[in-house]
Amino acid sequence: MVLYSEEQIFNLEEISRKLRIRSLEMIYKRGAGHPGGSLSAADIIASLYFYKMKIDPGNPFMENRDRFILSKGHASAVLYAALAMKGYFPEDDLDNWGQLSCHLQGHPDRNKTPGVDMNTGTLGHGINIAAGMLLGGRLKKINFKVYVLLGDGECQGGIIWEGAMTAAKYKLGNLVAILDYNRVQLDGFVKDIMPLEPIVEKWKSFNFEVFQIDGHNIRQILEALDGADNIHGKPVMIIAKTVKGKGVSFMENNCYWHGTAPNKDQLETAKKELLERNKK
Amino acid sequence: MTYDKRKIESVREGYGKALALYGKLNDKVVVLDADVSNSTLTKYFAEEFPERFFNVGIAEAGMIDTAVGLALEGFIPFANAFASLICYRALEQIRTCVSYCNTNVKIAAGYSGISDYKDGPTHHSIFDLAIMRSMPDMTVLVPADSVEAGMMVKAAAELNGPVYLRLSRADMPVIFDYRHKVKIGRGVTLVEGEDLTICCMGTLLGNCLDAAEKLRSSGIYAGVIEISTLKPFDSKIIVDTAIRTGAMVTVEEHNIIGGLYSAVSECLINNNISIPVGPVGIKDHYACTSLNIDDLYEYMGLSVEDIINISKKVIRKKRK
Ligand SMILES: Cc1ncc(C[n+]2csc(CCOP(=O)(O)OP(=O)(O)O)c2C)c(N)n1
């Protein structure tokens, strides 16, 4: 069992806070984007990029790097903020998001933005692509992990489960899927649009090793990510209970904020809340 | 036509409102959506007729087959999602269970072309019409404004057979008013011309009218026709205007491969008419993300200026 220092946890919490604030600033500036699902994923993204993944911003296509697929590609804001903070490209680029001349697209584009491993935006591709990468890695005898972040609404798509079967059949232990289980999608609550429960049993019955955590508790996220390293011969699903719009009270649990940009006042209120939050 | 550049309306709003209204008149109409009813605006129908509205979640392929089942039971299903997903992801379902089986399913493809400029290329559909036009028994409708989008709900519902209705996310100039009549398979002449014909499909019609007006001030008389049914194609209006004006420009928010430019060219060849034809459309490459639609139109070569330039080019060719 790995022990995490208070300092380490605190630093990651601070990074998450910055990612949230930066995401909202970007969405405000562009007048477009997806705040709800960016905020719910911030702690997971921070833990992956600033703790777990073996990557080198100076060498984005390093062959044995860990890969990350933002299968819920609409949360691009928080990914872009993390990639910039890591140094894949200048932070200033974030302010030009969406401009014709800017490499940052509405949804991630690996041919334009350094650090992006796969184009996404239409939901449902992540697990299948991860399976292909890992089968390729196996043939090339290169060892790496592929992390995939999924939305819960996204899991309504049949292709998710096709990928799940492939990953299980080929015993892809290096596949770590994380479900951003925020219970809200575009049109409303998942339970009303198309219920997913029992979700734990679903993934278990598809032969995944399932962890259940609080997706806003950094310690639990790190434990799960490290714990996944000890699973061999089967893919891992980390079901992370999250809150859509986490950290901004008026955005939380509200599908209105799935794809609506805040105005100036709303941005300021949100930033204030995020800055005050958990300040000890 | 009561065209006023300043009168802008949301095309999806026109569709969504009309669908809810038409639901009152025809209780056979049922509506399916794939978690985008707040975007396609089928939410209006859902509010009025919750028992005839089915949100299947983010599952476009399955949604098409479910719509097929409803059609087989005698209902008139409108299956809604973004064009980029309903056409591309659910394509095999549409081929086998809608087109091949010839079921009475209306595929309402929202956010088409590059109209979802903010979300970028994954959310664009720049070759959906090339696919749908080549599908046997598929009627392909492309409204130019909010009014026509609304009228096409009734037209599609009352046509027995598969329909692909291509809808836009954009707020566009209103071209038509309540007196307009949508006749499936018939083009519409908006401006009579002498020197060339600008043939438009879809929401760039306002740009075409603006271009024709500007051309007139430099002494060029451009006719403007609208093709709102890409299939079955109105060959007559193309042949007539081609013979009268001797030059043509096609305008579409679509790849120049497989859409209107192709349809017009095929029609002219089939009728042994040899005239210069210039395409205004997407030149076989993906678009990108933009902060607003007009910048993207310009970037992609779909602006008023582009229509004017191509018009002048075909006229020069015609004189040679
Ligand atoms: C296949 C597909 N269908 C529809 C969409 C439109 N869309 C974008 S995000 C979204 C809702 C996603 O919900 P969820 O997966 O729960 O994401 P989160 O709540 O984490 O943002 C929808 C329907 C899409 N991008 N891809």
Side-chain angles (χ1 to χ4, degrees), chain B residues 111-179:
Chain B
Y111 283 41
S112 74
I114 54 174
S115 65
D116 187 8
Y117 58 89
K118 298 188 249 195
D119 279 316
T122 51
H123 285 54
H124 298 159
S125 67
I126 61 169
F127 51 84
D128 54 324
L129 294 173
I131 298 169
M132 288 300 157
R133 192 168 76 86
S134 58
M135 214 182 275
D137 293 324
M138 185 65 75
T139 295
V140 180
L141 303 179
V142 190
D145 69 357
S146 60
V147 175
E148 213 171 47
M151 289 176 172
M152 281 181 175
V153 168
K154 183 173 187 295
E158 293 175 9
L159 178 98
N160 190 24
V163 173
Y164 183 78
L165 175 55
R166 191 193 209 225
L167 299 160
S168 170
R169 184 197 182 282
D171 299 338
M172 297 307 273
V174 181
I175 315 282
F176 300 108
D177 64 22
Y178 67 95
R179 289 165 296 188

Side-chain angles (χ1 to χ4, degrees), chain B residues 141-310:
Chain B
L141 303 179
V142 190
D145 69 357
S146 60
V147 175
E148 213 171 47
M151 289 176 172
M152 281 181 175
V153 168
K154 183 173 187 295
E158 293 175 9
L159 178 98
N160 190 24
V163 173
Y164 183 78
L165 175 55
R166 191 193 209 225
L167 299 160
S168 170
R169 184 197 182 282
D171 299 338
M172 297 307 273
V174 181
I175 315 282
F176 300 108
D177 64 22
Y178 67 95
R179 289 165 296 188
H180 180 57
K181 288 206 167 52
V182 168
K183 292 203 189 100
I184 290 178
R186 287 272 197 89
V188 177
T189 302
L190 291 108
V191 179
E192 298 279 352
E194 287 168 25
D195 301 319
L196 85 153
T197 303
I198 299 173
C199 174
C200 181
M201 171 184 68
T203 51
L204 293 172
L205 191 52
N207 279 4
C208 294
L209 293 167
D210 293 349
E213 194 184 306
K214 287 199 175 154
L215 284 165
R216 206 169 319 142
S217 60
S218 48
I220 296 170
Y221 288 84
V224 178
I225 60 173
E226 186 221 9
I227 294 290
S228 63
T229 310
L230 184 60
K231 187 183 180 181
F233 195 66
D234 185 353
S235 297
K236 187 171 181 305
I237 198 170
I238 300 296
V239 169
D240 288 353
T241 52
I243 290 172
R244 175 141 30 91
T245 63
M248 199 159 268
V249 170
T250 58
V251 180
E252 60 196 311
E253 192 177 317
H254 188 270
N255 199 344
I256 56 171
I257 297 175
L260 182 68
Y261 178 53
S262 298
V264 166
S265 305
E266 289 159 17
C267 168
L268 293 173
I269 287 170
N270 287 340
N271 288 282
N272 291 316
I273 298 171
S274 176
I275 60 162
V277 183
V280 173
I282 296 170
K283 309 291 184 307
D284 201 25
H285 63 83
Y286 288 100
C288 58
T289 308
S290 173
L291 295 177
N292 65 64
I293 189 77
D294 288 327
D295 285 357
L296 193 58
Y297 282 152
E298 199 171 304
Y299 182 78
M300 297 303 286
L302 306 173
S303 68
V304 175
E305 280 314 303
D306 293 303
I307 300 169
I308 292 173
N309 290 340
I310 302 285

Side-chain angles (χ1 to χ4, degrees), chain A residues 40-102:
Chain A
S40 66
D43 302 291
I44 297 162
I45 296 281
S47 303
L48 283 168
Y49 276 89
F50 294 87
Y51 170 77
K52 188 64 194 167
M53 288 205 302
K54 292 188 194 66
I55 45 177
D56 175 6
N59 187 5
F61 289 113
M62 181 173 74
E63 213 180 359
N64 62 350
R65 74 188 185 284
D66 289 339
R67 281 110 168 114
F68 174 69
I69 303 173
L70 183 65
S71 198
K72 42 168 276 184
H74 55 280
S76 48
V78 67
L79 174 64
Y80 294 160
L83 291 175
M85 208 189 275
K86 268 312 255 194
Y88 281 95
F89 50 82
E91 292 242 7
D92 289 350
D93 291 5
L94 299 176
D95 293 322
N96 301 326
W97 183 25
Q99 286 182 17
L100 291 171
S101 55
C102 179

Side-chain angles (χ1 to χ4, degrees), chain A residues 29-32 34 97-100 104-109 112 119-125 153-154 156-159 185-188 192-194 255, chain B residues 33-39 42 53 55-60 82 84-85 89 116-123 286-292 295-296 299:
Chain A
K29 179 106 198 277
R30 184 166 87 103
H34 296 83
W97 183 25
Q99 286 182 17
L100 291 171
L104 297 169
Q105 297 298 299
H107 293 82
D109 185 332
K112 293 189 170 153
N119 298 24
T120 50
T122 48
L123 298 162
H125 295 293
E154 183 180 12
Q156 293 158 348
I159 48 171
Q185 51 191 113
L186 188 155
D187 269 347
D192 300 326
I193 304 298
M194 185 54 67
C255 72
Chain B
D33 204 307
D35 189 36
V36 286
S37 72
N38 282 326
S39 308
T42 59
F53 176 78
N55 196 331
V56 300
I58 304 169
E60 293 80 6
F82 299 160
S84 58
L85 290 156
R89 181 162 297 179
D116 187 8
Y117 58 89
K118 298 188 249 195
D119 279 316
T122 51
H123 285 54
Y286 288 100
C288 58
T289 308
S290 173
L291 295 177
N292 65 64
D295 285 357
L296 193 58
Y299 182 78

Side-chain angles (χ1 to χ4, degrees), chain A residues 152-153 181-186 188-190 244 253-255 258:
Chain A
D152 44 12
Y181 198 13
N182 61 31
R183 302 177 340 278
V184 180
Q185 51 191 113
L186 188 155
F189 288 100
V190 172
K244 193 147 169 168
N253 297 311
N254 185 348
C255 72
H258 169 77

